[in-house]
Amino acid sequence: MAELTSKPLDPSTWPDFARLVEDHRGVWGGCWCMGFHPDGLKGKTAEQNRADKHERVMAGQTHAALVFDGDDCVGWCQYGPTAELTRIKHRKEYEKELTVLPDWRITCFFVANKRRRQGIAAAALAGALRQIEQAGGGTVESYPEDTTYRKTSGSFLHNGTLTMFEREGFTRSRQIGKHAWVVTRTLS
């Protein structure tokens, strides 16, 4: 296994991203990592989601840290400014104690089926944080799951795990679901 590296999702890496998504049947039934964008998924086909994601990538209106093992894209972490990623899970609970929106959100991870539990998500998170720092930093927020004392399939951990975020210096702000937490970190 080569050393894992990360690159931003942009027009030059679109083919790598698209190949990984296509190899996994559009990811979660054709999402194409569009579920957290303002337009969401409702009523859209996988083909429409692909076209919308492609358009966003070409226009520089979406962000992700892609993880590569050599030349192969094996996963990613989607992040972006709050206005870019308006849709989140547990929104009702989230808004109850909301005082100020973060500058950035980390909304989802995807790791190739055969590469799970190999540190890909952690590499994607580290890559996203580097890219956010390069873009000027600010308050970063995410909504991972606490998997302490329970087994959870990696295929359902699209927001990552609480322990992974805490290893990267995030702190718990508040719980917003049975197992979901708001975590934050400020980058300069």
Side-chain angles (χ1 to χ4, degrees):
M1 181 167 69
E3 183 177 333
L4 298 175
T5 59
S6 68
K7 299 177 187 176
L9 174 58
D10 62 24
S12 72
T13 58
W14 167 260
D16 304 301
F17 172 81
R19 188 169 28 262
L20 179 59
V21 176
E22 289 163 355
D23 286 349
H24 290 82
R25 296 184 201 100
V27 178
W28 295 301
C31 175
W32 277 87
C33 213
M34 285 296 298
F36 296 100
H37 289 290
D39 34 353
L41 300 172
K42 193 170 185 166
K44 294 186 179 180
T45 66
E47 293 77 23
Q48 289 169 314
N49 289 330
R50 183 192 196 285
D52 289 349
K53 190 66 168 191
H54 183 260
E55 184 178 317
R56 284 183 167 279
V57 169
M58 295 303 133
Q61 297 174 339
T62 190
H63 298 82
L66 305 182
V67 176
F68 288 82
D69 183 357
D71 293 333
D72 297 324
C73 182
V74 293
W76 71 76
C77 170
Q78 178 175 253
Y79 70 92
T82 305
E84 181 180 301
L85 298 169
T86 58
R87 301 168 60 86
I88 61 170
K89 303 279 183 182
H90 309 288
R91 177 168 282 303
K92 196 173 190 178
E93 280 296 312
Y94 174 78
E95 290 178 342
K96 277 184 184 176
E97 297 180 38
L98 182 63
T99 56
V100 63
L101 289 172
D103 300 303
W104 301 90
R105 281 187 170 142
I106 294 175
T107 54
C108 71
F109 293 82
F110 181 77
V111 175
N113 292 342
K114 294 179 181 177
R115 298 303 305 270
R116 294 195 176 131
R117 302 202 184 279
Q118 297 177 21
I120 308 292
L125 176 57
L129 294 175
R130 280 191 301 276
Q131 290 174 30
I132 291 169
E133 280 181 320
Q134 290 168 356
T139 303
V140 183
E141 186 176 270
S142 194
Y143 321 97
E145 285 194 39
D146 185 357
T147 57
T148 309
Y149 308 117
R150 67 187 182 101
K151 281 195 170 219
T152 306
S153 169
S155 61
F156 294 106
L157 289 172
H158 70 276
N159 276 113
T161 65
L162 185 58
T163 56
M164 179 178 70
F165 277 89
E166 289 177 332
R167 280 193 303 265
E168 281 290 343
F170 282 79
T171 58
R172 299 177 196 204
S173 296
R174 57 197 166 95
Q175 194 167 1
I176 56 171
K178 185 174 182 181
H179 302 289
W181 284 82
V182 175
V183 295
T184 58
R185 178 175 169 190
T186 301
L187 301 173
S188 47

